[in-house]
Amino acid sequence: AMLATTGYLVQATGAHFPGQLSSDVSFESLSTMNPFDAWEAVPLAGKAQIIGTIFCAELYTESKGVHYTKGGPLPEIVFPKFDFSNIDPAILEKKRCRELNNGRLAMIAIMSFISANNIEGSVPALTGNPAF
């Protein structure tokens, strides 16, 4: 949810890579659209590459031994190894709670963006915003 929210906001600002996405679609042309319209304009082969890469990353991290939700090690692709042994447990717990709350807020944000895009006036704070 955090990556989705960040990606939506970056694309909504008009930030883009230089060059062409395909022979007939430039990154600049996509940056002038709202994020949902930009996704629709991505060629099918580009969408397949994005979804295929996500699938491979998920397959790699989810198919190793005991799943992390059942006591196994955290996937290192998503969670790089950091040594937290020198941090006070109370501070670590406080930071974990903050990160969990940030994740929850990101879930609310991306669902608000989707609602604002699909149902006119459903998110009053986003009404009239061209990114939605």
Side-chain angles (χ1 to χ4, degrees):
M2 290 182 186
L3 286 175
T5 301
T6 302
Y8 191 101
L9 293 172
V10 167
Q11 201 284 329
T13 65
H16 60 84
F17 291 111
Q20 295 286 115
L21 179 65
S22 68
S23 60
D24 58 340
V25 178
S26 71
F27 287 112
E28 186 174 3
S29 68
L30 294 176
S31 72
T32 62
M33 304 175 191
N34 81 38
F36 291 103
D37 293 338
W39 174 253
E40 289 300 318
V42 171
L44 187 58
K47 290 178 185 176
Q49 289 174 19
I50 293 167
I51 293 170
T53 301
I54 293 168
F55 173 77
C56 289
E58 287 289 324
L59 186 64
Y60 176 76
T61 60
E62 298 293 323
S63 63
K64 294 186 146 207
V66 179
H67 196 269
Y68 65 91
T69 61
K70 297 185 180 358
L74 291 173
E76 292 177 18
I77 264 184
V78 180
F79 305 104
K81 292 181 182 178
F82 291 108
D83 181 16
F84 292 114
S85 62
N86 296 332
I87 297 177
D88 178 36
I91 292 173
L92 190 58
E93 183 60 28
K94 185 176 182 179
K95 290 185 183 280
R96 283 183 178 155
C97 286
R98 284 181 181 169
E99 187 67 13
L100 185 60
N101 287 336
N102 289 340
R104 290 175 178 153
L105 182 59
M107 286 184 242
I108 292 169
I110 196 64
M111 292 309 297
S112 297
F113 297 164
I114 291 168
S115 296
N117 182 70
N118 293 319
I119 304 167
E120 183 85 22
S122 62
V123 184
L126 301 177
T127 301
N129 187 320
F132 302 94

